């Protein structure tokens, strides 16, 4: 599905705000007010939710999603939300990642972004995981599915080469998802860390980057790597039939087919 100009503009705007909201501990100047207002950040960035909804509306309007596309969005979001509790976060095993990657690949970046965000929202409601971190989860999962739709060869690359491409992307995106989610809460929720792992207000960027890298290695990498491995394995094992099913459903739904109405034939003699 093609992205219209309004959808592209909305995606760029939300992505830029999201990156600033997530990466401010490494981006903000030592004299910035953000450094001294870290505890208020969750409330400030709760404003992302209305922007995400604006992206969804703009994408739907520009891509011309009809009732069939909305129905498919609902089905895939429900399946993705249901897959997430299966792993229960145990050792980072979250099977919903591979479904988001395959869906974004077949249905395009705009549909993928909306699907990732809606799936994570539904999953948070299902698991009771609603909190100030939820907008970040929605945004990051939207990026994961949108990135799959931007991979090369959407029309010509098929077979094992496509599966390996998606498996590699799924593994990398799973690690990046965990890293970004760590970064958004690093300076807010992790108080009492050792000096070498904690956010240091006013310290140079290089020093905080080294602390954050040590924090990731010590805490979340053991969760991110199993998630990446599971995403790659599921893509290689189940990817071929699921890609075929998604492409068949897309062809039958004919999302891009223009609607046309023919005037009734005029009887002769009139």
């Amino acid at each position: 599905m093609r992205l219209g100009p309004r959808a592209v503009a909305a995606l760029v705007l939300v992505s830029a705000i999201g990156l600033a909201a997530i990466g401010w501990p490494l981006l903000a100047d030592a004299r910035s007010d953000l450094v001294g207002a870290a505890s208020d950040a969750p409330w400030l960035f709760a404003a992302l939710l209305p922007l995400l909804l604006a992206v969804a509306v703009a994408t739907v309007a520009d891509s011309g999603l009809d009732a069939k596309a909305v129905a498919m969005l609902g089905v895939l979001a429900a399946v993705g939300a249901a897959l997430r509790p299966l792993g229960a976060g145990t050792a980072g095993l979250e099977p919903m990642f591979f479904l988001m990657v395959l869906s974004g690949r077949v249905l395009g970046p705009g549909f993928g972004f909306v699907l990732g965000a809606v799936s994570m929202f539904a999953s948070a409601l299902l698991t009771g995981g609603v909190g100030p971190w939820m907008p970040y989860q929605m945004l990051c999962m939207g990026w994961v599915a949108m990135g799959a739709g931007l991979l090369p060869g959407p029309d010509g690359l098929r077979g094992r080469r496509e599966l390996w491409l998606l498996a590699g992307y799924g593994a990398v995106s799973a690690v990046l998802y965990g890293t970004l989610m760590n970064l958004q809460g690093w300076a807010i929720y992790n108080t009492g860390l050792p000096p070498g792992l904690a956010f240091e207000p006013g310290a140079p960027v290089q020093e905080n980057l080294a602390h954050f890298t040590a924090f990731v290695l010590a805490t979340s990498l053991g969760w991110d790597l199993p998630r990446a491995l599971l995403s790659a394995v599921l893509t290689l094992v189940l990817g071929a039939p699921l890609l075929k099913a998604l492409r068949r459903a897309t062809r039958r739904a004919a999302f891009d087919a223009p609607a046309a109405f023919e005037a009734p034939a005029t009887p002769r003699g009139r």
Side-chain angles (χ1 to χ4, degrees):
M1 294 182 181
R2 295 180 179 177
L3 288 176
R6 284 185 297 175
V8 172
L11 285 172
V12 171
L13 176 63
V14 170
S15 296
I17 294 175
L19 285 174
I22 291 172
W24 70 265
L26 301 178
L27 300 174
D29 186 84
R31 295 164 293 180
S32 172
D33 292 338
L34 270 176
V35 174
S39 59
D40 298 329
W43 307 107
L44 293 174
F45 296 135
L48 277 174
L49 268 177
L51 291 173
L52 286 168
L53 293 177
V55 168
V57 172
T59 304
V60 169
D62 275 4
S63 301
L65 296 182
D66 56 13
K68 292 176 288 186
V70 173
M72 176 170 280
L73 175 67
V75 170
L76 290 173
V79 174
L83 282 175
R84 193 175 179 215
L86 292 181
T90 304
L93 302 179
E94 294 187 49
M96 72 179 298
F97 273 75
F98 95 103
L99 179 64
M100 297 296 107
V101 170
L102 297 182
S103 301
R105 170 69 172 180
V106 174
L107 297 166
F111 192 103
F113 184 87
V114 177
L115 174 63
V118 172
S119 298
M120 194 54 77
F121 178 71
S123 172
L125 296 180
L126 188 64
T127 60
V130 178
W133 53 83
M134 190 180 71
Y136 301 98
Q137 291 178 327
M138 295 171 63
L139 185 63
C140 291
M141 188 57 77
W143 283 339
V144 168
M146 181 178 70
L150 295 173
L151 291 174
D155 299 322
L157 188 64
R158 294 291 184 272
R160 300 299 298 176
R161 292 176 58 196
E162 183 181 32
L163 286 180
W164 280 108
L165 174 66
L166 295 177
Y169 172 79
V172 172
S173 63
V175 173
L176 288 178
Y177 174 90
T179 303
L180 290 176
M181 287 306 300
N182 272 331
L183 183 56
Q184 64 86 24
W186 176 50
I188 301 170
Y189 309 116
N190 298 287
T191 57
L193 289 172
L197 306 181
F199 172 67
E200 294 290 342
V205 174
Q206 297 85 349
E207 183 177 339
N208 272 323
L209 181 59
H211 289 188
F212 177 68
T213 302
F215 172 76
V216 170
L217 293 175
T219 58
S220 71
L221 199 59
W223 296 74
D224 296 338
L225 290 180
R227 181 194 300 129
L229 180 62
L230 179 67
S231 300
V233 170
L234 289 178
T235 300
L236 293 174
V237 174
L238 303 176
L242 276 179
L243 285 172
K244 187 176 180 181
L246 287 170
R247 286 181 171 128
R248 182 188 300 145
T250 303
R251 285 196 301 271
R252 287 181 179 273
F255 295 142
D256 293 329
F261 299 94
E262 296 182 357
T266 303
R268 290 183 178 179
R270 290 189 178 183

